[in-house]
Amino acid sequence: MKKSISSTLRRAERFQVVLIGEGILVGGIAGLVVLLYRIFLEYAGKWLQMILDVAGESPVRIVGWFVILAFLAVLVAKLVDYEPLISGSGIPQLEGEMTGKLDQVWWKVLPAKFAGGFLCLLGGLSLGREGPSIQLGAMVGKGVSKGLDRGKTEEKFLLTCGASAGLSAAFHAPLAGVMFSLEEVHKNFSVSVLVSVMSASLTADFLSSAVLGVDSVFQFDIVRELPQEYYWLIILLGIVLGVLGAFYNWFTLKMQSLYNHMKGASTTVKLMIPFFCAGVLGFVKPELLGSGHALIEWVTHEDVMLKSLIFILVAKFIFSGICFGSGAPGGIFFPLLVLGGFIGGTFGTAGVMYLGLDSMYVNNFVLLAMAGYFTAIVRAPLTGIILIFEMTGSVEHMMSLSLVSIIAYIVATLLRSKPIYESLLDRLLKKRGVPVSEESGQKVLSSFVIMHGSTAAGKRISEVEWPEHCLLIAVKRGEEEIIPRGRTLLLPSDTIIAVVDERDNAVVHDAMEELCRM
C-alpha cells in the first residue's frame, strides 16, 4: 500500500510531463489515422467523378449506378446498426463521453466510422470530414488510454488530445484544433491540458503536412482589408448570419425529427433517401455533391450571378439537411462553412448591385460569413476565427472577423437558439434513454417576507423543507444582507430572495408563500 501511495504521489509530481508525452503519442497515431482517412476521402471524390462521367453515357449505366448507391446505403446501414454511435457527426458523441453520459467502444467506432464516412462520400452525400476526424482522433486517445491502463481522469485528457489531433490533421489547422477541443469539448483551459493538447495537435499537423503539403484548405485571394466605411455592412451581415444560423439549427433538428417519425422504417430505408437524392443530383447538379470544397473555389474565383448563388445556397442547404438528418456517418462542420461562404458571396454580390459596394470586396464577405455562420451555429467564436485564419491563410482581418462573429453570436443567443452540438447531444441521449436536463427559461428573482407564526419563522434554513428548483441567494434583515447558510436562523420580518427558473416560477411561488405566511 505504501508503495502504491508513493508511486501515485511521484506520478502526480510529473503528471504534466507525462501528459505531454502521451499527447505526442496520441497525436502521432491519430494524425496517421486521420491522414489515411483524408486520403481515402480524396480517392472517394475522384472515383465518384469518374463514375458519374462514365454512367452518364447511357441510361443503362445510370440505372446501374443507382443499384450501386442502394448497395452503398445497405452497407452504411449495416455499419450504423453494428455501432449506432458512428451515426452523424461524432462530436456530440464525444461531448457525451466527456460528461460521462456515453461510453463509446473505441475499437468498434474506429473502423466503422472510417468505413461509413468513406462510403457516404463515395456516394456523394453532402457531409463533412471534420466530425468523423474528431471522433476518430478521440477514439485513438481512448484506445491509448485503455492500452496504458489510465484512469478516467487521464482518459478525458487523452480524448481531448485525440479530438484536437483529429481536427488539426483534417484541416491543417493546429491552433483551431487546440481551441475547438478546449472551447467545445473539454471546456477547460488549464495549463496541463493546454500543453498536452498543443503537443497532440502539432504532432498530427506535422504528419499530415508532411504527406499532403502545407497549402491552406481554401485558396482564394483577398485584395485588401475591408475599409471602415463598409463596417455597417459587417453589422448587417452579422445580424443576417445570426438569424440564418438559428434557422440552420432548427432545420437540422427538424430533419432529424422527420426521419425519426418514419414509423417502421429501417436504417437502410432512411439512408436510401440521401443516397438516391445524391444519385439524381449527380446527373443534374453534380457540384452539390460532397462536402462542397469546389463550390468555395468557384464562388471566390468567378463572377457569379446573384440568382445562381441563391439557387446553389438553397439547394446545398436542403441537400445537406437531408443527408445529415438521415443519421449517415458524416459531419456538418465543413458543409456549414461552405454554406456560410455562399451566404457571404450572396450578401457581397447583392451589396455590389444595390448598396454601392466595390466588387473587389466580395471575397471579404465570403471570409467573414464563414466565421460568423460557424459562430452562430456552434457558438464557439474563438474557434471560428482561428479556423478561418488557418484554412484560408489570411491573418489580416481580426477586427472584421471578431465584429461579425460577436454580432452573429449575440443574435443567435437572443433568438434562444441552442448550440447545435448541445442540441444533437440531447437528442442522442434521449434516444438512448439517458436522462437529460430539461430546457430552462429565463431566471426570475423572487422575494418573500417571513411573517410571525409562519412555518419558516424561528427555524434554521436547513430545518425548512424548501420547494424543488428554488435557490436561496440572500436573506435581508433590515439594511443587512446575509448570505444564506444551513445554520442561518430565519426571523420574522426577514426577506428571503430566491432565484427560480421561469418555467417553475408559479409552482415555487405558491410553495414559498405557504412557508412564509401565517
Side-chain angles (χ1 to χ4, degrees):
M1 177 64 70
K2 289 182 179 179
K3 183 177 180 181
S4 176
I5 294 173
S6 63
S7 298
T8 302
L9 292 174
R10 283 198 303 272
R11 179 171 177 77
E13 291 174 357
R14 62 178 190 273
F15 180 67
Q16 190 166 325
V17 176
V18 170
L19 206 54
I20 293 172
E22 292 177 349
I24 294 173
L25 176 62
V26 170
I29 301 174
L32 290 173
V33 171
V34 175
L35 170 61
L36 188 63
Y37 184 63
R38 281 187 63 178
I39 292 172
F40 268 67
L41 293 188
E42 287 185 12
Y43 276 109
K46 293 177 182 177
W47 292 343
L48 175 61
Q49 188 58 54
M50 291 170 56
I51 291 169
L52 292 175
D53 290 341
V54 173
E57 296 176 357
S58 74
V60 174
R61 291 179 179 178
I62 292 175
V63 173
W65 175 233
F66 275 91
V67 172
I68 294 173
L69 286 173
F71 179 66
L72 292 178
V74 171
L75 287 179
V76 175
K78 295 289 185 184
L79 290 169
V80 173
D81 289 338
Y82 165 73
E83 178 46 75
L85 289 177
I86 69 167
S87 177
S89 167
I91 295 174
Q93 289 89 323
L94 174 57
E95 292 184 356
E97 178 115 25
M98 293 296 293
T99 57
K101 296 174 182 177
L102 294 174
D103 185 16
Q104 301 173 84
V105 182
W106 68 271
W107 54 267
K108 291 178 65 177
V109 171
L110 268 174
K113 190 75 169 191
F114 193 110
F118 168 74
L119 294 174
C120 286
L121 267 294
L122 180 61
L125 271 60
S126 181
L127 299 168
R129 66 178 181 236
E130 72 309 312
S133 297
I134 290 170
Q135 189 178 20
L136 290 172
M139 290 302 95
V140 168
K142 187 168 186 177
V144 170
S145 174
K146 298 299 184 185
L148 297 177
D149 194 24
R150 300 301 187 229
K152 278 293 182 183
T153 300
E154 200 163 334
E155 183 174 287
K156 292 188 186 301
F157 282 102
L158 297 183
L159 282 166
T160 308
C161 288
S164 176
L167 182 57
S168 175
F171 280 154
H172 180 42
L175 293 180
V178 172
M179 189 56 63
F180 182 81
S181 61
L182 298 180
E183 187 177 26
E184 181 67 20
V185 176
H186 200 83
K187 303 184 188 300
N188 186 303
F189 287 82
S190 68
V191 174
S192 295
V193 67
L194 175 62
V195 177
S196 60
V197 165
M198 286 183 64
S199 302
S201 186
L202 291 171
T203 302
D205 181 60
F206 175 80
L207 292 172
S208 179
S209 300
V211 176
L212 300 178
V214 296
D215 290 338
S216 302
V217 174
F218 294 124
Q219 302 282 331
F220 60 90
D221 297 325
I222 296 181
V223 178
R224 54 176 293 191
E225 189 176 352
L226 197 68
Q228 290 190 357
E229 64 188 83
Y230 290 128
Y231 269 42
W232 67 276
L233 286 174
I234 297 180
I235 297 174
L236 181 58
L237 176 63
I239 295 171
V240 171
L241 292 170
V243 173
L244 293 180
F247 179 71
Y248 177 94
N249 289 359
W250 173 85
F251 183 78
T252 300
L253 297 175
K254 189 67 174 178
M255 290 304 299
Q256 271 198 343
S257 298
L258 290 175
Y259 277 102
N260 291 335
H261 285 109
M262 294 174 62
K263 300 298 184 182
S266 65
T267 306
T268 302
V269 172
K270 293 177 182 178
L271 286 170
M272 287 287 184
I273 297 172
F275 273 96
F276 280 1
C277 287
V280 174
L281 290 175
F283 300 107
V284 178
K285 269 297 184 185
E287 58 267 32
L288 295 175
L289 301 182
S291 60
H293 181 274
L295 288 175
I296 292 295
E297 300 294 324
W298 176 62
V299 77
T300 54
H301 289 88
E302 304 287 343
D303 291 328
V304 186
M305 295 179 61
L306 183 60
K307 289 183 179 179
S308 298
L309 287 170
I310 295 173
F311 173 78
I312 293 293
L313 173 61
V314 174
K316 185 69 174 175
F317 181 90
I318 295 172
F319 182 46
S320 297
I322 291 172
C323 292
F324 187 78
S326 69
I332 57 173
F333 205 130
F334 200 100
L336 74 83
L337 290 177
V338 173
L339 291 172
F342 263 75
I343 292 171
T346 303
F347 185 91
T349 302
V352 171
M353 295 175 64
Y354 304 112
L355 301 175
L357 177 68
D358 193 318
S359 60
M360 68 184 290
Y361 295 118
V362 171
N363 282 2
N364 293 67
F365 285 95
V366 173
L367 179 79
L368 293 171
M370 290 168 74
Y373 198 53
F374 176 87
T375 299
I377 293 169
V378 181
R379 224 62 60 80
L382 294 178
T383 298
I385 293 170
I386 294 173
L387 182 66
I388 299 306
F389 278 164
E390 294 187 299
M391 290 180 68
T392 61
S394 176
V395 294
E396 303 169 353
H397 309 278
M398 174 63 80
M399 177 67 77
S400 53
L401 280 170
S402 300
L403 179 59
V404 76
S405 296
I406 290 171
I407 293 171
Y409 186 102
I410 292 172
V411 171
T413 303
L414 290 176
L415 291 174
R416 297 190 181 184
S417 173
K418 287 182 65 176
I420 187 62
Y421 292 125
E422 287 187 17
S423 299
L424 292 173
L425 175 59
D426 286 347
R427 287 281 182 93
L428 176 62
L429 294 177
K430 287 180 181 178
K431 187 175 181 179
R432 297 177 68 85
V434 180
V436 296
S437 57
E438 296 181 14
E439 185 176 352
S440 60
Q442 296 184 18
K443 302 301 179 285
V444 179
L445 282 177
S446 300
S447 300
F448 306 92
V449 178
I450 297 178
M451 299 182 180
H452 290 271
S454 66
T455 303
K459 292 184 178 179
R460 301 188 184 278
I461 287 179
S462 60
E463 297 172 344
V464 179
E465 189 174 342
W466 303 102
E468 292 184 359
H469 311 300
C470 166
L471 177 65
L472 305 187
I473 60 172
V475 176
K476 294 194 71 173
R477 186 168 294 159
E479 296 299 317
E480 182 183 7
E481 192 168 280
I482 303 169
I483 297 175
R485 295 182 174 85
R487 63 177 182 274
T488 302
L489 183 65
L490 298 174
L491 302 177
S493 300
D494 284 351
T495 299
I496 299 175
I497 301 175
V499 63
V500 185
D501 196 275
E502 184 181 25
R503 69 166 189 264
D504 303 313
N505 189 38
V507 175
V508 171
H509 184 274
D510 291 344
M512 291 292 285
E513 285 288 322
E514 189 72 25
L515 288 170
C516 295
R517 70 186 180 190
M518 293 179 61

